[in-house]
Amino acid sequence: MSGADTSEQSVRVDREAAIAIVTVDRQDALNALDVATLTRLRDELVTLAADDAVRVVVLTGAGDRAFIAGADIKYMSGLGVDDATAWGSLGHDAGRLLETMPKPTIAAVNGFALGGGCELALACDIRYASSRAKLGQPEVNLGIIPGWGGTQRLARVCGIGVAKELIFTGRTVDAEEAVRIGLVNAVHDPVLDRARETAQLLATKSPVALRVMKRLANRALGGDHADNLVAEGESFGELFASEDAREGLAAFVEKREPKFVGR
Ligand code: DAK
């Protein structure tokens, strides 16, 4: 895979105390992801996942038109099989990081979230949309499939019936429909304010409890239900060894706000 490295400008990370706001900024292409941008995004997510000072990650797009209008179609139009496979892996890496990093991730969908853009939003734990947002998986119109997790995560978020209709037809949905079908959690303008508000709230919670809940919740729609409940029970017990659990329980008893340290 090749491409001029314009990534430094096209992905920004702004730290606001314990919150990291990641902004994809290729506004000339409605924030569509080329190789340099997606590589940079993946690398920034790797860094944020490992940084204990960051408790919540918010993903958004620059400007007021687009979150991410998908993979860069102009780039993809020249791909052979090997490059397309590598390109697929890169998108999967970014999605997997958003889905599995040990802290909450929030998509602030401020416009078009199409194709790979919708897929990255789906990989986040929580999604908010602006009232002008449009979301969907239009890959079928290009003769390809949603290949960065869309055939799987859309069904997990919205149910298999809705997912099949949307990926088979390529139909996009507006914000009002997105909230009705569960594709986004809420609609709010400006959407980043709503994402920030939730992020600030989550940054006050126990990072240990959030990490364990996220890992367990990610198992909820897969694997064996009974095994998953056993895992939950074991994790519950183990949490009592954490400073955060002792602090949370003590703070309630002492009628004060808890201060969680993430251990
Ligand atoms: N890629 C490249 N450029 C894009 C783009 C995209 N996805 N979306 C928009 N642009 C560019 C337009 O070409 C235009 O550039 P100029 O012509 O001015 O140079 C500029 O952004 C403004 O767009 P429009 O002029 O089209 O603006 P409109 O308001 O008229 O329309 C639109 C907005 C979002 C409805 C329209 O731009 C559009 O339909 N864009 C394409 C959206 C789309 O189809 N997205 C899905 C892409 S496919 C893989 C796995 C996954 C994937 C790929 C591979 N493997 C496993 C290998 C993922 C695939 C996708 O995401």
Side-chain angles (χ1 to χ4, degrees), residues 26-33 65 68-76 79 83-89 91-92 112 114-117 119 136-139 141-142 144-149:
R26 277 189 82 217
Q27 294 182 59
D28 289 351
L30 299 181
N31 303 330
L33 298 167
R65 292 206 62 207
I68 296 168
D72 190 308
I73 299 172
K74 292 166 196 164
Y75 165 71
M76 282 196 300
L79 290 185
D83 277 347
T85 304
W87 180 230
S89 302
H92 269 289
F112 291 111
L114 302 175
E119 289 169 303
Q137 301 289 163
E139 285 91 339
N141 300 326
L142 302 169
I144 59 176
I145 64 166
W148 287 344

Side-chain angles (χ1 to χ4, degrees), residues 4 6 11 26 57 67 78-79 85 140 146 148 157-158 164 177 186:
T6 52
V11 179
R26 277 189 82 217
V57 173
F67 173 70
L79 290 185
T85 304
V140 68
W148 287 344
V157 171
C158 297
K164 282 181 177 169
E177 182 174 358

Side-chain angles (χ1 to χ4, degrees), residues 229-242:
L229 288 173
V230 169
E232 183 193 71
E234 286 170 0
S235 298
F236 185 77
E238 287 162 14
L239 269 182
F240 279 74
S242 73

